[in-house]
Amino acid sequence: MTQYLVFGHKNPDTDTIASAIAFAYYLNQKGHQAEAVTLGTPNEETAFALDYFKAQAPRVIESAAGTGAHVALVDHNEASQSIDDLAELTVDYVIDHHRIGFESAQPLYYRCEPIGCTATVLYKMFGEAGIEIPAQIAGLMLSAIISDSLLFKSPTCTPEDVDAAQALATLAGVDAQVYGLDLLKAGTNLASKSEETLLNLDAKSFDMNGHQVRIAQVNAIGFSDLLARKEALLKAMQAEVEAKGYELFLLVVTDVLDSNSFGLVVGQDVSALEAAFGQKVVDQQLELPGVVSRKKQIVPPLTDSYAAR
Amino acid sequence: MTQYLVFGHKNPDTDTIASAIAFAYYLNQKGHQAEAVTLGTPNEETAFALDYFKAQAPRVIESAAGTGAHVALVDHNEASQSIDDLAELTVDYVIDHHRIGFESAQPLYYRCEPIGCTATVLYKMFGEAGIEIPAQIAGLMLSAIISDSLLFKSPTCTPEDVDAAQALATLAGVDAQVYGLDLLKAGTNLASKSEETLLNLDAKSFDMNGHQVRIAQVNAIGFSDLLARKEALLKAMQAEVEAKGYELFLLVVTDVLDSNSFGLVVGQDVSALEAAFGQKVVDQQLELPGVVSRKKQIVPPLTDSYAAR
């Protein structure tokens, strides 16, 4: 029987880890042998959710070639965000809600929907297959939707995400608003973290028309703590740019209560970024009023801006 | 309201046209405004199905930019098989069952399953959405499954395709075996067709690791008629290679009753092809015993063979 390793993107967030656990459960219920794994340790928000619902963190792996297992990707599809040896693996499933940059030699099961959260896609798949969702997994899937939608405030959030979250909250036996605020707060404990850690809490690499772009995001309550660390953050970003060869590194700091962001920027040529948002980078800083979603409000205009070159 | 144009691949086959009609109906039932269109005129098999179920052939279009419509791709996803101005369009849906080579700036609805026919994926989606399938559309979807599976004999055919076909035959009020043989025979009326026409009945272009490959397939009853036209076919293939710059042109002739094929080959370097199938091209001809499926038995080994270079 084919064995499956199920995992989300590097720098795992709550949706990536919850969706890996949920989809591994789904595959097992369908009669397959599947294990949820992760490409990194859970962040504090995810650790809070795992602890709250008494779930174990998945095993961390760095490679999968040679295990004989096929793989299922959740919450991502681009090779640059996935396991290093992806090219040597057979991908049988992709469940996602991001832009697509994917190539395969064989047909596979690929399901992407333009909604707020991979866990919402999985919620629909459980329903279609008539598989009941246990309370623990429902709680983790609810956490994923709250995390990705910033408690339903992000423009990525759709009515399907809200409906799924309400149903999952009932299954999990929690109040979505009360639990949700506790979950988001658990993810904004930034003072104890080094600049290097902050830059990798939730960071993704993109190939935009041949330009290597890194976009990290940090959720905060208010901007003052991180503005006070601006010089140290820029220095750490510069070090990563030099080490990894990124053409542009954008750190987006988002106030989760106020639904607002600003960006810190390292890169020789910031003109594509300035064109994407119609304003100037001043002192390596860019205002991003009303922006909370990397996927919906940052990646598309920046992709278009690089494509227009 | 967003208007949708729904279309399949160039050189349309029965699945491409039936799935465009079915998915346009699905979107309209969901409250959208959708029109099925096609990138070419129906072949004789598809014309037989449209006539049998008293359906109109979709309007032929060559471009869609400037119409304001968004698009839904069915039965394909690769730009090389799609409308010429795809890069200028917004793709909101892909429903498919082929290997994936796709890139988007935005998330979209993408559903691919590794099964025999796009119409089978759509059959599942109708069921999930609780939308009834009218007899006429059920007949076209059944025709698509019969065509893609060579009446359930192709290795691409899965139990899900067989189950969907039986249910659709009931909805359409026909016997799948009796109707299916008539449909396949309608598609093998080759004597009246020019070599240029035969080469474009069901042809697709692929970018395999930077190599431009053209693979055409013709269904026949027995091999003798087409073997008698070998020199003329090779001459027409050579002309297409020179006009379009293909590196390799493979014409696969498939006996639909005997489930067997041979290939005719034009190209300077046939070593990747020979490596893929473990045998030599002799007099521009390649035996392909037991091969009936381009997607499952030709594209994957050839893709792997070019990737290994």
Side-chain angles (χ1 to χ4, degrees):
Chain A
M1 184 193 283
T2 306
Q3 301 223 344
Y4 291 104
L5 293 173
V6 184
F7 52 85
H9 54 75
K10 286 180 175 168
N11 300 305
D13 59 11
T14 302
D15 189 23
T16 258
I17 288 184
S19 290
I21 292 171
F23 191 53
Y25 180 83
Y26 174 100
L27 288 174
N28 286 324
Q29 293 301 110
K30 283 269 202 179
H32 298 289
Q33 285 203 327
E35 180 191 3
V37 292
T38 169
L39 307 184
T41 51
N43 63 33
E44 285 181 66
E45 180 195 273
T46 309
F48 177 88
L50 291 166
D51 184 59
Y52 191 96
F53 292 106
K54 299 185 173 46
Q56 274 206 312
R59 182 167 65 92
V60 177
I61 65 168
E62 291 184 347
S63 65
T67 64
H70 289 201
V71 301
L73 310 184
V74 295
D75 198 33
H76 76 298
N77 69 85
E78 300 185 57
S80 60
Q81 297 163 13
S82 197
I83 198 162
D84 289 336
D85 58 357
L86 184 69
E88 297 167 56
L89 305 173
T90 301
V91 181
D92 282 357
Y93 294 91
V94 178
I95 317 293
D96 194 20
H97 69 131
H98 295 90
R99 76 163 193 161
I100 298 175
F102 188 80
E103 188 163 0
S104 69
Q106 296 268 8
L108 70 157
Y109 188 101
Y110 196 113
R111 179 137 168 193
C112 174
E113 300 196 25
I115 57 182
C117 186
T118 302
T120 306
V121 181
L122 286 168
Y123 173 77
K124 293 170 69 175
M125 291 174 64
F126 275 95
E128 289 159 12
I131 300 172
E132 280 184 37
I133 307 174
Q136 181 187 63
I137 289 177
L140 296 176
M141 292 169 75
L142 168 68
S143 304
I145 299 174
I146 291 166
S147 170
D148 271 13
S149 72
L150 294 178
L151 204 37
F152 317 129
K153 283 194 201 144
S154 167
T156 60
C157 187
T158 70
E160 289 193 299
D161 297 297
V162 177
D163 291 350
Q166 296 304 343
L168 290 164
T170 303
L171 288 171
V174 299
D175 180 289
Q177 290 291 334
V178 174
Y179 170 73
L181 267 182
D182 288 344
L183 179 71
L184 291 183
K185 281 182 191 161
T188 58
N189 173 20
L190 307 177
S192 65
K193 294 187 179 66
S194 71
E195 283 72 25
E196 290 71 23
T197 301
L198 291 177
L199 294 183
N200 286 288
L201 281 180
D202 178 11
K204 291 184 181 173
S205 300
F206 300 88
D207 181 326
M208 296 184 177
N209 198 20
H211 301 270
Q212 303 309 313
V213 177
R214 180 79 164 174
I215 309 178
Q217 188 168 22
V218 172
N219 289 342
I221 293 176
F223 288 154
S224 55
D225 291 351
L226 282 169
L227 279 174
R229 296 168 73 178
K230 176 174 169 181
E231 289 312 312
L233 284 165
L234 286 170
K235 194 175 158 197
M237 289 166 71
Q238 182 66 41
E240 274 208 37
V241 162
E242 283 164 19
K244 301 285 178 61
Y246 305 127
E247 190 173 324
L248 182 78
F249 193 149
L250 172 66
L251 168 65
V252 180
V253 179
T254 299
D255 184 340
V256 293
L257 296 188
D258 201 32
S259 301
N260 224 3
S261 297
F262 73 90
L264 295 182
V265 186
V266 171
Q268 290 290 324
D269 180 357
V270 299
S271 59
L273 180 68
E274 291 179 327
F277 295 98
Q279 56 175 307
K280 291 285 173 192
V281 173
V282 179
D283 291 339
Q284 296 186 265
Q285 190 170 333
L286 182 74
E287 300 309 308
L288 295 165
V291 169
V292 298
S293 167
R294 174 172 54 199
K295 188 173 72 169
K296 198 133 183 168
Q297 297 172 294
I298 296 172
V299 172
L302 197 53
T303 302
D304 290 345
S305 183
Y306 276 114
R309 299 193 141 209
Chain B
M1 186 193 282
T2 306
Q3 301 225 344
Y4 289 104
L5 293 172
V6 184
F7 52 85
H9 53 74
K10 286 179 176 170
N11 302 303
D13 59 11
T14 302
D15 188 24
T16 258
I17 288 184
S19 290
I21 292 171
F23 191 53
Y25 179 83
Y26 175 100
L27 287 174
N28 286 324
Q29 293 302 109
K30 284 270 203 178
H32 298 289
Q33 284 203 329
E35 180 191 3
V37 293
T38 168
L39 307 184
T41 52
N43 63 33
E44 286 180 62
E45 180 195 274
T46 309
F48 177 89
L50 290 167
D51 184 57
Y52 191 97
F53 292 107
K54 299 184 172 47
Q56 276 205 310
R59 182 166 65 93
V60 178
I61 64 168
E62 292 185 346
S63 66
T67 63
H70 288 202
V71 300
L73 310 184
V74 294
D75 198 34
H76 76 298
N77 69 85
E78 300 186 57
S80 60
Q81 297 164 13
S82 197
I83 198 161
D84 290 335
D85 59 356
L86 184 69
E88 297 167 56
L89 305 174
T90 301
V91 181
D92 281 358
Y93 294 90
V94 178
I95 317 293
D96 193 19
H97 70 131
H98 294 89
R99 76 164 192 160
I100 297 175
F102 187 82
E103 188 163 0
S104 69
Q106 295 268 6
L108 69 156
Y109 187 102
Y110 195 112
R111 179 137 168 194
C112 174
E113 300 196 25
I115 58 181
C117 186
T118 303
T120 306
V121 181
L122 287 168
Y123 173 77
K124 294 171 68 176
M125 290 173 63
F126 275 97
E128 289 159 11
I131 299 173
E132 281 185 36
I133 307 174
Q136 181 187 64
I137 289 176
L140 297 176
M141 292 168 76
L142 168 67
S143 305
I145 298 174
I146 290 165
S147 171
D148 270 14
S149 71
L150 294 179
L151 204 39
F152 316 128
K153 284 193 201 142
S154 167
T156 59
C157 188
T158 70
E160 290 193 298
D161 298 297
V162 177
D163 290 348
Q166 297 304 344
L168 291 164
T170 303
L171 288 172
V174 299
D175 181 289
Q177 289 291 334
V178 174
Y179 169 74
L181 267 183
D182 289 343
L183 177 72
L184 291 183
K185 281 182 190 159
T188 59
N189 174 22
L190 307 177
S192 65
K193 294 188 179 66
S194 71
E195 283 73 24
E196 290 71 22
T197 301
L198 292 176
L199 294 182
N200 286 289
L201 282 180
D202 179 11
K204 291 184 183 175
S205 300
F206 299 89
D207 182 326
M208 294 183 177
N209 198 21
H211 301 270
Q212 303 309 313
V213 177
R214 180 80 164 174
I215 308 178
Q217 188 167 20
V218 172
N219 289 343
I221 292 176
F223 287 154
S224 54
D225 291 351
L226 283 169
L227 280 173
R229 297 170 73 179
K230 176 175 170 180
E231 290 311 314
L233 284 165
L234 285 170
K235 195 174 156 198
M237 290 165 71
Q238 182 66 42
E240 274 208 37
V241 162
E242 284 165 17
K244 300 285 178 61
Y246 304 129
E247 190 173 325
L248 182 78
F249 192 149
L250 172 66
L251 169 65
V252 179
V253 179
T254 299
D255 185 341
V256 292
L257 296 188
D258 203 30
S259 301
N260 223 4
S261 297
F262 73 89
L264 295 181
V265 186
V266 171
Q268 290 289 324
D269 180 356
V270 299
S271 59
L273 179 67
E274 291 179 328
F277 294 99
Q279 55 176 310
K280 291 284 170 193
V281 173
V282 179
D283 292 338
Q284 296 186 264
Q285 190 171 332
L286 183 73
E287 299 310 307
L288 296 166
V291 169
V292 298
S293 167
R294 173 173 53 200
K295 188 172 73 168
K296 198 131 181 171
Q297 296 171 295
I298 296 171
V299 172
L302 197 53
T303 302
D304 289 345
S305 184
Y306 276 114
R309 298 192 142 210

